[in-house]
Amino acid sequence: TQLLEQSPQFLSIQEGENLTVYCNSSSVFSSLQWYRQEPGEGPVLLVTVVTGGEVKKLKRLTFQFGDARKDSSLHITAAQPGDTGLYLCAGAEGSWGKLQFGAGTQVVVTP
Amino acid sequence: EAQVTQNPRYLITVTGKKLTVTCSQNMNHEYMSWYRQDPGLGLRQIYYSMNVEVTDKGDVPEGYKVSRKEKRNFPLILESPSPNQTSLYFCASSLRDRYKEPQHFGDGTRLSIL
């Protein structure tokens, strides 16, 4: 059973459209990280959120941490083909660095 | 350039033949981990190390060994590989074993055990 549930599993959209990826859990996390992974490469960190209700923006990407620190979302505005990739959320429980990963959302943005 | 380097990138081998996947980081990081990535299951932690000579089991340690004799190196050892260990493996490091620290990943090692 996955500790972190990501939805949807797969998302295919046209360039210019918006999309939202969700990451949900019944556990409370000290921090929630989002990574993007491209074929043949390891995941690369996009953002870390640590405070309940926190919203962080990274250009066209908006990340939100739920008030209860059990869920998070990633919203991409006006998606571009370069946003194509596997998006992974990962949560840390307690004070330590051990991460639990979701299964990922594969995003495909076509021109 | 700051990086985590894994070798080999690809390996096809047979059941029972011992193999080692090397991992090296040049960022003086204390915390290092090994993960395996399987379709639909995401990344699952195999072993981790909080510093030199300090290692512990992750979520799926069976069939694997690790060592941390030097800060920069964290090899993954499969003493007697089996087909269910066919997977994509990632080594990662972070500055410290703390919940805010980002993890830096290598580019992965694809293992096929026949």
Side-chain angles (χ1 to χ4, degrees):
Chain A
T1 304
Q2 208 77 33
L3 190 64
L4 278 165
E5 298 288 339
Q6 284 190 241
S7 61
Q9 289 183 310
F10 182 81
L11 199 52
S12 180
I13 61 170
Q14 298 275 357
E15 183 175 3
E17 294 181 338
N18 301 333
L19 68 96
T20 302
V21 176
Y22 299 94
C23 177
N24 296 296
S25 176
S26 56
S27 298
V28 176
F29 293 106
S30 304
S31 72
L32 203 296
Q33 298 179 354
W34 284 92
Y35 291 81
R36 181 168 67 208
Q37 184 180 9
E38 299 189 28
E41 299 180 7
V44 175
L45 181 74
L46 295 173
V47 79
T48 301
V49 285
V50 297
T51 305
E54 182 176 4
V55 176
K56 279 193 174 179
K57 293 194 175 184
L58 188 68
K59 297 183 181 178
R60 293 176 294 100
L61 278 61
T62 301
F63 303 86
Q64 187 160 7
F65 201 12
D67 291 340
R69 291 185 287 128
K70 292 182 178 182
D71 55 84
S72 181
S73 64
L74 156 61
H75 182 79
I76 301 179
T77 304
Q80 298 176 359
D83 295 324
T84 293
L86 179 68
Y87 288 82
L88 296 159
C89 66
E93 295 179 276
S95 303
W96 307 113
K98 178 177 167 58
L99 292 176
Q100 296 285 348
F101 279 83
T105 295
Q106 181 64 52
V107 171
V108 176
V109 183
T110 52
Chain B
E1 181 191 349
Q3 59 187 3
V4 177
T5 304
Q6 295 179 227
N7 279 297
R9 291 293 312 276
Y10 305 91
L11 180 62
I12 301 173
T13 187
V14 296
T15 298
K17 186 176 181 182
K18 181 180 178 180
L19 67 92
T20 300
V21 184
T22 64
C23 173
S24 181
Q25 50 92 5
N26 62 0
M27 296 169 279
N28 202 35
H29 284 174
E30 290 182 355
Y31 188 76
M32 297 185 75
S33 292
W34 275 102
Y35 296 89
R36 58 178 291 173
Q37 186 175 35
D38 301 289
L41 296 177
L43 285 151
R44 293 179 293 167
Q45 192 182 53
I46 302 169
Y47 267 94
Y48 65 95
S49 170
M50 290 174 282
N51 216 322
V52 176
E53 302 291 3
V54 183
T55 63
D56 208 347
K57 296 177 181 178
D59 298 316
V60 288
E62 294 78 20
Y64 305 95
K65 286 175 58 177
V66 293
S67 69
R68 187 94 182 271
K69 294 185 171 58
E70 306 163 286
K71 199 171 188 178
R72 63 184 294 126
N73 296 323
F74 190 44
L76 179 70
I77 303 154
L78 285 71
E79 295 267 1
S80 183
S82 61
N84 65 10
Q85 293 177 298
T86 291
S87 187
L88 179 59
Y89 291 84
F90 287 99
C91 180
S93 74
S94 61
L95 183 60
R96 296 170 300 169
D97 180 21
R98 298 296 292 170
Y99 67 99
K100 291 185 189 180
E101 293 292 339
Q103 297 210 13
H104 301 260
F105 286 84
D107 284 337
T109 295
R110 188 167 290 282
L111 284 183
S112 293
I113 316 293
L114 304 177

